[in-house]
Amino acid sequence: MAGLIKCQEYDWKDSNLALFGSDLERQIKKASAQSETAWKTAGQEVGLEIWRIVNFKVTPWPKEDYGKFYDGDSYIVLNTYKESGKEQFLYDVHFWIGKYSTQDEYGTAAYKTVELDTYLDDVPIQHREVQGFESNLFKSYFKTIELLKGGATSGFKNVKPAEYRPRLLHFHGERKNIFVKEVARNVNVLDNSDVYILDLGLKLLQWNGSGSNKDERFKAQSYMQSIVQDRGGKPKAKVLDEGSDREFTQYLTEQNEDEVIFYCNNKTRELFRLSDALGKLTFSLEKSGKINKSDFDSKDVFVFDIKTELFVWIGKETSPAEKKNALAYAHSYLQKTDHPLVPVSCIREGRTVESFETALAA
């Protein structure tokens, strides 16, 4: 697995990932959850709900902006659904961390995710999502995911035309999986297999790379039209093809961002056991290579690393100490690897996620 991230991004110290505790801690969290205004209507009907963390508070994210994420923010995403023929609500709750989200923000998002899980009586499956490394489950919620620079307060809806900050949007993907990402306005970022929109406030330029596909071109054109509508029809829009693009490239004068690539060199799957059977917590490699369901023991916690995703599996008979430290140990383990930003899912014995079952079957 490979992904692009900047060197100074993601300071993970004190990120508040010790998510499980004793009964007393659970009761305290339950009381706190019941006083959280944002949770009063959470999970009461099938569908998606999103909140952004603002000054340690959980604030509703406008439905018209679902799918938009700013790299300076952290969010909580709750998906509520029912299995066929059953009445009980089931949930997946994700906390999403932007590249430049502060420690306070993503720490609050992590804690509040646990709080929401507690409020919903431990039914949800919890997930950690990091910008650029989102799980397939997370991506499936949105027709398009837009990754934008800055914080939500730097959006364009209420800004005067003369105050627009120029931005370059990159469209990449096919069919329903089109990603929109704001990138540096630098000519070196252009990939002729993709499409870009240069947003200058009252002037919009779409650049079609010679190798771009029809889905990228159609999505970009639809996106450009929606911007024109949002701004009262004032912007002038134009489509340019690669080769006749001087009007486009003359604005690409911004310095490019220095980025580093993280590679996962060892693709071997590994299973770790967290246990206090000997009177103290121990975290050790249980098995590597092919992992089977029979390798999991109800009495302990297991961390299953498939290198593109990590699962924290909590057995039905695990001790309070094992539960309390499950994600903390998994988090500590990941930070020592070459793939620290992969999606993390915390699952309980008896209820897993599709990607976990797929990994076992592989």
Side-chain angles (χ1 to χ4, degrees):
M1 178 194 171
L4 292 177
I5 64 163
K6 290 186 65 181
C7 300
Q8 67 267 36
E9 295 164 8
Y10 306 114
D11 178 7
W12 295 106
K13 296 190 296 290
D14 302 322
S15 56
N16 202 356
L17 290 178
L19 301 185
F20 292 87
S22 65
D23 289 340
L24 177 59
E25 288 173 316
R26 244 189 62 78
Q27 291 171 12
I28 293 172
K29 288 177 181 177
K30 182 79 170 180
S32 174
Q34 289 174 338
S35 65
E36 173 57 69
T37 304
W39 306 151
K40 296 302 181 185
T41 59
Q44 293 186 10
E45 58 183 38
V46 170
L48 209 60
E49 296 170 89
I50 302 178
W51 299 267
R52 180 171 70 109
I53 303 302
V54 182
N55 296 324
F56 300 97
K57 294 182 179 179
V58 181
T59 61
W61 190 235
K63 287 190 179 295
E64 62 267 25
D65 288 334
Y66 279 17
K68 287 184 180 180
F69 298 93
Y70 287 84
D71 64 9
D73 292 332
S74 287
Y75 300 79
I76 295 174
V77 176
L78 175 67
N79 183 44
T80 303
Y81 65 99
K82 291 181 179 180
E83 291 183 340
S84 179
K86 297 184 179 180
E87 287 302 313
Q88 181 188 10
F89 283 128
L90 296 175
Y91 314 94
D92 283 283
V93 57
H94 308 248
F95 65 97
W96 184 93
I97 304 169
K99 283 185 178 180
Y100 303 105
S101 178
T102 67
Q103 199 174 92
D104 289 340
E105 287 171 337
Y106 63 70
T108 302
Y111 176 79
K112 286 294 185 178
T113 296
V114 182
E115 188 179 81
L116 178 55
D117 173 84
T118 303
Y119 181 75
L120 296 173
D121 297 318
D122 297 330
V123 175
I125 293 176
Q126 298 175 47
H127 308 265
R128 184 201 76 176
E129 309 283 351
V130 177
Q131 180 181 340
F133 296 82
E134 293 86 355
S135 66
N136 289 332
L137 177 63
F138 185 84
K139 294 175 186 177
S140 72
Y141 300 147
F142 309 99
K143 291 181 179 178
T144 303
I145 291 181
E146 301 174 43
L147 303 177
L148 305 173
K149 290 185 176 182
T153 53
S154 62
F156 295 92
K157 288 190 175 179
N158 300 311
V159 181
K160 295 177 181 179
E163 297 174 351
Y164 279 108
R165 172 181 59 81
R167 58 179 185 162
L168 182 63
L169 301 172
H170 177 198
F171 292 74
H172 173 76
E174 57 185 14
R175 297 184 181 178
K176 294 183 179 180
N177 296 315
I178 303 291
F179 264 76
V180 183
K181 180 182 179 182
E182 185 176 352
V183 295
R185 286 184 297 106
N186 185 289
V187 69
N188 293 322
V189 308
L190 297 181
D191 183 336
N192 65 4
S193 66
D194 294 327
V195 175
Y196 297 79
I197 287 178
L198 180 62
D199 180 359
L200 299 171
L202 293 178
K203 185 177 184 179
L204 301 169
L205 299 174
Q206 176 177 329
W207 184 88
N208 294 332
S210 58
S212 60
N213 62 52
K214 61 180 177 60
D215 300 315
E216 292 164 339
R217 296 183 183 202
F218 177 76
K219 182 63 183 179
Q221 193 155 11
S222 298
Y223 190 97
M224 193 161 59
Q225 290 171 354
S226 70
I227 292 177
V228 173
Q229 291 175 358
D230 287 345
R231 297 175 190 171
K234 294 179 181 179
K236 302 298 181 184
K238 189 175 182 180
V239 178
L240 302 169
D241 291 322
E242 183 182 358
S244 58
D245 49 14
R246 188 176 182 282
E247 183 181 0
F248 184 86
T249 57
Q250 67 177 315
Y251 294 102
L252 305 185
T253 57
E254 191 174 53
Q255 184 175 353
N256 200 4
E257 297 178 343
D258 294 327
E259 297 190 331
V260 62
I261 298 176
F262 280 171
Y263 288 105
C264 180
N265 294 307
N266 182 1
K267 302 289 196 302
T268 304
R269 296 176 177 187
E270 296 176 301
L271 183 67
F272 297 84
R273 182 193 292 257
L274 177 64
S275 176
D276 60 3
L278 298 178
K280 64 177 183 179
L281 282 171
T282 58
F283 185 75
S284 57
L285 178 64
E286 182 77 7
K287 188 180 179 182
S288 59
K290 172 63 177 175
I291 308 299
N292 304 300
K293 282 189 176 181
S294 59
D295 295 319
F296 295 81
D297 182 347
S298 297
K299 296 180 180 179
D300 289 321
V301 166
F302 289 83
V303 172
F304 183 23
D305 184 6
I306 65 172
K307 305 306 167 79
T308 56
E309 195 167 351
L310 184 136
F311 306 96
V312 181
W313 186 92
I314 299 176
K316 293 179 179 179
E317 301 173 34
T318 53
S319 70
E322 291 167 347
K323 290 179 183 179
K324 177 180 179 180
N325 290 282
L327 269 175
Y329 269 81
H331 169 79
S332 178
Y333 158 75
L334 268 182
Q335 304 325 302
K336 299 170 186 175
T337 72
D338 59 3
H339 52 288
L341 307 180
V342 298
V344 177
S345 295
C346 185
I347 57 182
R348 297 178 180 86
E349 182 179 5
R351 181 162 179 248
T352 61
V353 291
E354 183 178 353
S355 54
F356 177 82
E357 298 296 335
T358 301
L360 290 178

